[in-house]
Amino acid sequence: MEMPQNPRGENTFISTQSFVFSSIPTPAENGFDIDSPGTKELCRTPLSNGTVLSNANSPLDSCMQPLCNATSGKSSPCSEEVKYVSSEGENIACGWGAFTPDCLQFFNTPKGILFFLCMASFLQGMTVNGFINTVITSIERRYDLHSYQSGLIASSYDIAACVCLTFVSYFGGTGHKPRWLGWGVLVMGVGSFVFALPQFTTGNYEVNFSQEFGTCGSNQNISCAGSTSSLSNYRFVFMLGQFLHGIGATPLYTLGVTYLDENVKSNYSPVYIAIFYTAAILGPAAGYLIGGALLNIYTEIGRPTELTTENPLWVGAWWIGFLGAGASAFLISIPILGYPRQLPGSQRYVVMRVSETHQLKDGSHKTASDPDFGKTVKDLPLSLWLLLRNPTFILLCLAGATEATLIAGMSTFGPKFLESQFSLSASEAATLFGYLVVPAGGGGTFLGGFFVNKFKLRCSGIIKFCLFCTLISLLAICIFFMHCPNMPMAGVTLKYNGSVLPEGSLQLLASCNEKCGCLREIYSPVCGTDNVMYYSPCHAGCSTVSVLPEGDKKVYRDCSCIPQHFPSRLGHATAGKCTSSCQRKSLLLVFVFVVILFTFLSSIPALTATLRCVSDRQRSFALGIQWIVVRTLGGIPGPIAFGWVIDKACLLWQDQCGDQGSCYIYQNSAMSHYTLIAGIVYKVFGIVFFGSAYLLYKPPRGSSDSPVASPPSSSSASENTTDLQERGSVLQTQNSV
């Protein structure tokens, strides 16, 4: 007799036991306790699809008679070793090949794979978004790289991801996901080793330096070489390392997300995914902290040097972090490679899942419900065409691109914005920005998934939630109407006599420093006792330097350009920028925190909506296409767009032997206003895209999102009861056959 088919095209239970449902119990799943039956039960009976029925609380605890009696002294099949077998006859025990010891099965749960995937995402964030951003300046200095060359190094990650996403998400979506994930982490580790390779293939870093360099009357000489150093060719090695990072991380945020979603109940999927992404956000914070600490160690470990960390020629031990990241990646990949294609007990969540796929008018979306769809390359064009015809999916991709543009721009130039507004050093600004991002970004990511689970939001409700978060962040971004005033700087904003200097004109030389022989190429700001900044100790007319015993702070004395407060001696200056006394600092930081919080608050709900509005067979491929759109339209051009906008506010450019380099000083009011314009434009686009996605979304008829559906129950127990009734009917139908 022909076997009845599941109307949704899902794999169903096949059992030879007789099941009688006398009543429908209230599920006992609380919190995160949603895994397959634990390892403590004394008696378990495996189903043919890999689920195990036990005396633990589960949706099948309503059987009138137990399948086996754990208290019976008689021997039974239950006392034998449990063998995990999927519905397709594949072994789903945790291990490597034939090596599947019982002790490893403790980790063969959604919580177990979540732990290792969180470690992998944390490592990826720490390496790519933490270490790279921290050491890029040191690499430029060590290997004579220009800014555009270091930009190519950073972009190699996104380029590799865009190249591989289609292939990995399409074939990996129907393949063995843990193996794709494990090999990806392994490739990521190889990329870290390659990135650190130049440290061991070049000579020692040596600099001739004197303590008085940069003061008035010192022998200052900057050689302007006509040809580029051969060390700059190492940029291709760094690009290769970043390219391998991109290839290895590609499966992580496509196949990893769908693997989690497939193996937990749909209501709890956003929480698992939120935890996964929170780990990825905490990774960069650890990268900044660890990378910053390593940069305080001289790059040539064990070799003495006269350089200090405050000197522009200092190069820290940038390479140590990448060696540690490479070794960690190899260790993390081993357990991930041991996970099965499908976790034990996960098939029940597939049966209980209610379809929320966007409905196309001609019904062609049903094609993707075929279990054999997407297993060959010939289905790739049709699969792509079905996604392109899904307006909700396309609009969610575009909304994600606008949010990614803001996130990429803020993460790249956020520290620079704080540095300019509050007159901070680069390290102080990076630390302060980290204090904002960790609680706002990590907390927003986790809370977004928590709210979806807490309020049992369906697809249309999730999109409305994203729309609400985007609207709040748009209102908060209006804080950029405010700004902190620039600290006065002699020769840039003020004349040396104290009068205001017209914007756009520079007068770095005056009668007080004209005999010092100051060079424009040496920028080392100092703060005078008159609370005015100077371009360098030489431009302040300082002739001597001393180091304070407390804190190794440099003090420049006998400065002819600093007004004399006492007739008996000249003014003095301390190394570094003057401290800002901006009264709006706290208010600006609070609203920047709100912007970051609500931007990340919508990230996991938007991802969940993407997973729900497409067919189950297309989820991995849909995430791959979404990542391509997000990176192409948001991640890659985002920093470029924000960088171009911020450069418009530059007051003082670096002079590299007549060529324009990076910007030293920005006009705070212009920077704030340009950031406001860019933020408003992208947030308005996000509101339009989320709003259109909500209006155009067409849920399946009969679902709680559908206008013809009956009102959904207010309790989760009622929802689970419906799922169990459906499941029970499937089991009884199959048993009668």
Side-chain angles (χ1 to χ4, degrees):
M1 181 179 295
E2 184 179 356
M3 181 69 65
Q5 298 296 319
N6 189 324
R8 292 191 303 274
E10 307 283 5
N11 296 329
T12 55
F13 288 91
I14 302 175
S15 176
T16 58
Q17 300 288 343
S18 177
F19 297 95
V20 180
F21 289 84
S22 59
S23 62
I24 303 300
T26 301
E29 296 173 335
N30 297 319
F32 295 162
D33 189 18
I34 57 175
D35 303 335
S36 58
T39 59
K40 297 182 180 181
E41 291 84 26
L42 298 176
C43 177
R44 299 185 291 187
T45 300
L47 293 177
S48 60
N49 63 353
T51 58
V52 180
L53 299 181
S54 70
N55 57 358
N57 291 332
S58 74
L60 294 180
D61 283 344
S62 58
C63 301
M64 293 183 61
Q65 296 180 354
L67 296 178
C68 55
N69 190 354
T71 61
S72 175
K74 299 179 181 180
S75 62
S76 66
C78 298
S79 61
E80 299 177 0
E81 181 182 359
V82 175
K83 294 183 180 180
Y84 296 93
V85 181
S86 69
S87 58
E88 298 178 357
E90 182 179 352
N91 182 21
I92 55 175
C94 186
W96 303 271
F99 181 70
T100 56
D102 293 339
C103 59
L104 292 181
Q105 308 316 313
F106 175 78
F107 301 97
N108 199 17
T109 63
K111 290 180 182 178
I113 188 62
L114 175 66
F115 173 75
F116 291 111
L117 288 181
C118 283
M119 292 183 64
S121 65
F122 180 87
L123 181 64
Q124 181 272 337
M126 182 176 65
T127 305
V128 176
N129 300 321
F131 288 156
I132 297 293
N133 294 338
T134 303
V135 307
I136 199 70
T137 303
S138 300
I139 291 175
E140 289 179 359
R141 187 177 302 123
R142 176 67 177 89
Y143 295 97
D144 300 332
L145 300 178
H146 295 293
S147 296
Y148 78 91
Q149 293 172 332
S150 61
L152 286 175
I153 293 174
S155 298
S156 298
Y157 174 85
D158 290 310
I159 294 173
C162 288
V163 170
C164 300
L165 271 170
T166 302
F167 174 81
V168 171
S169 61
Y170 182 76
F171 292 101
T174 56
H176 197 295
K177 293 184 180 68
R179 292 178 184 173
W180 283 82
L181 290 165
W183 283 108
V185 175
L186 201 63
V187 171
M188 197 164 57
V190 174
S192 295
F193 285 133
V194 170
F195 203 93
L197 186 62
Q199 170 65 22
F200 305 98
T201 57
T202 56
N204 295 326
Y205 178 67
E206 297 180 356
V207 177
N208 296 322
F209 173 75
S210 63
Q211 189 73 12
E212 291 76 20
F213 185 79
T215 58
C216 180
S218 63
N219 183 17
Q220 304 179 70
N221 183 24
I222 300 294
S223 59
C224 296
S227 58
T228 304
S229 170
S230 59
L231 289 176
S232 63
N233 292 328
Y234 276 101
R235 68 183 183 274
F236 297 110
V237 180
F238 294 127
M239 291 174 64
L240 176 61
Q242 272 288 74
F243 200 85
L244 292 174
H245 283 151
I247 294 175
T250 297
L252 201 56
Y253 298 104
T254 53
L255 305 182
V257 172
T258 53
Y259 190 72
L260 288 174
D261 184 66
E262 291 168 356
N263 289 280
V264 299
K265 188 179 177 182
S266 59
N267 284 344
Y268 290 93
S269 174
V271 179
Y272 274 75
I273 297 174
I275 296 174
F276 172 68
Y277 271 88
T278 301
I281 293 175
L282 296 178
Y288 277 109
L289 295 176
I290 297 175
L294 293 176
L295 290 182
N296 291 325
I297 305 173
Y298 189 55
T299 185
E300 304 296 341
I301 298 179
R303 295 179 62 88
T305 179
E306 297 180 354
L307 294 174
T308 62
T309 55
E310 295 179 353
N311 192 278
L313 300 177
W314 172 272
V315 175
W318 59 270
W319 47 274
I320 297 180
F322 293 97
L323 293 182
S328 301
F330 274 83
L331 294 177
I332 295 173
S333 66
I334 294 175
I336 295 178
L337 286 170
Y339 274 89
R341 182 192 296 264
Q342 176 183 329
L343 295 181
S346 63
Q347 191 67 17
R348 57 175 171 164
Y349 302 121
V350 176
V351 174
M352 294 165 63
R353 182 177 290 118
V354 178
S355 175
E356 298 180 60
T357 306
H358 175 84
Q359 306 295 294
L360 298 176
K361 293 182 178 180
D362 58 359
S364 58
H365 59 277
K366 297 180 180 178
T367 305
S369 300
D370 187 349
D372 294 327
F373 181 79
K375 293 186 177 181
T376 60
V377 70
K378 67 178 182 179
D379 293 330
L380 176 60
L382 179 57
S383 182
L384 179 61
W385 175 244
L386 291 176
L387 291 178
L388 294 178
R389 294 186 59 198
N390 188 332
T392 304
F393 169 74
I394 295 298
L395 290 168
L396 288 175
C397 289
L398 295 176
T402 60
E403 296 295 287
T405 303
L406 288 174
I407 293 175
M410 292 178 66
S411 62
T412 304
F413 297 105
K416 179 174 287 189
F417 178 84
L418 299 182
E419 178 183 349
S420 177
Q421 295 289 324
F422 307 139
S423 189
L424 303 174
S425 66
S427 60
E428 291 173 337
T431 303
L432 180 59
F433 189 73
Y435 288 151
L436 290 175
V437 169
V438 171
T445 301
F446 177 78
L447 288 176
F450 174 78
F451 287 147
V452 172
N453 168 258
K454 180 67 175 179
F455 300 109
K456 302 295 186 292
L457 297 179
R458 309 285 290 184
C459 189
S460 61
I462 293 174
I463 299 176
K464 284 194 293 185
F465 179 79
C466 295
L467 184 61
F468 168 77
C469 293
T470 308
L471 182 60
I472 296 297
S473 58
L474 172 63
L475 297 177
I477 213 169
C478 294
I479 191 62
F480 290 113
F481 274 118
M482 301 171 55
H483 66 276
C484 291
N486 281 85
M487 293 300 296
M489 185 170 187
V492 180
T493 61
L494 291 176
K495 294 182 179 180
Y496 279 86
N497 60 10
S499 59
V500 178
L501 189 66
E503 184 176 344
S505 61
L506 297 176
Q507 294 182 5
L508 295 176
L509 299 181
S511 58
C512 60
N513 60 19
E514 60 183 358
K515 296 181 180 179
C516 294
C518 303
L519 297 178
R520 173 79 181 276
E521 288 78 10
I522 301 177
Y523 175 70
S524 180
V526 295
C527 182
T529 51
D530 56 350
N531 204 31
V532 175
M533 289 172 52
Y534 294 85
Y535 191 86
S536 71
C538 180
H539 288 84
C542 305
S543 57
T544 59
V545 60
S546 61
V547 179
L548 296 179
E550 60 277 3
D552 296 333
K553 192 73 173 180
K554 286 186 179 181
V555 177
Y556 299 90
R557 304 186 185 278
D558 302 328
C559 304
S560 58
C561 293
I562 299 178
Q564 304 177 21
H565 296 282
F566 303 98
S568 58
R569 63 178 183 176
L570 299 175
H572 64 274
T574 55
K577 300 177 181 179
C578 295
T579 304
S580 174
S581 58
C582 179
Q583 302 296 325
R584 305 183 181 97
K585 180 177 180 179
S586 299
L587 188 61
L588 277 170
L589 291 178
V590 168
F591 275 86
V592 169
F593 179 89
V594 172
V595 172
I596 298 174
L597 174 66
F598 279 89
T599 299
F600 280 91
L601 194 62
S602 64
S603 59
I604 297 303
L607 180 65
T608 305
T610 301
L611 291 173
R612 294 188 180 183
C613 75
V614 300
S615 172
D616 286 353
R617 306 289 301 179
Q618 288 189 291
R619 284 178 299 176
S620 296
F621 187 51
L623 286 185
I625 298 300
Q626 186 179 59
W627 272 107
I628 292 177
V629 175
V630 168
R631 292 180 185 276
T632 304
L633 301 181
I636 296 176
I640 299 174
F642 269 80
W644 179 81
V645 167
I646 290 178
D647 280 344
K648 292 293 183 181
C650 185
L651 280 177
L652 179 64
W653 290 95
Q654 179 186 16
D655 190 325
Q656 296 179 328
C657 301
D659 295 331
Q660 179 176 292
S662 59
C663 184
Y664 283 145
I665 301 175
Y666 295 91
Q667 180 68 39
N668 285 351
S669 59
M671 172 186 277
S672 187
H673 293 160
Y674 289 146
T675 304
L676 172 67
I677 294 173
I680 289 179
V681 168
Y682 283 108
K683 283 296 180 181
V684 168
F685 274 119
I687 291 175
V688 171
F689 291 141
F690 278 127
S692 301
Y694 172 73
L695 294 175
L696 296 178
Y697 173 65
K698 294 181 179 180
R701 293 181 62 85
S703 69
S704 60
D705 284 337
S706 176
V708 299
S710 59
S713 172
S714 58
S715 66
S716 58
S718 299
E719 176 186 349
N720 292 331
T721 299
T722 303
D723 294 336
L724 292 171
Q725 288 173 340
E726 176 187 357
R727 184 182 176 191
S729 62
V730 172
L731 289 171
Q732 290 176 337
T733 302
Q734 292 176 344
N735 184 63
S736 63
V737 176

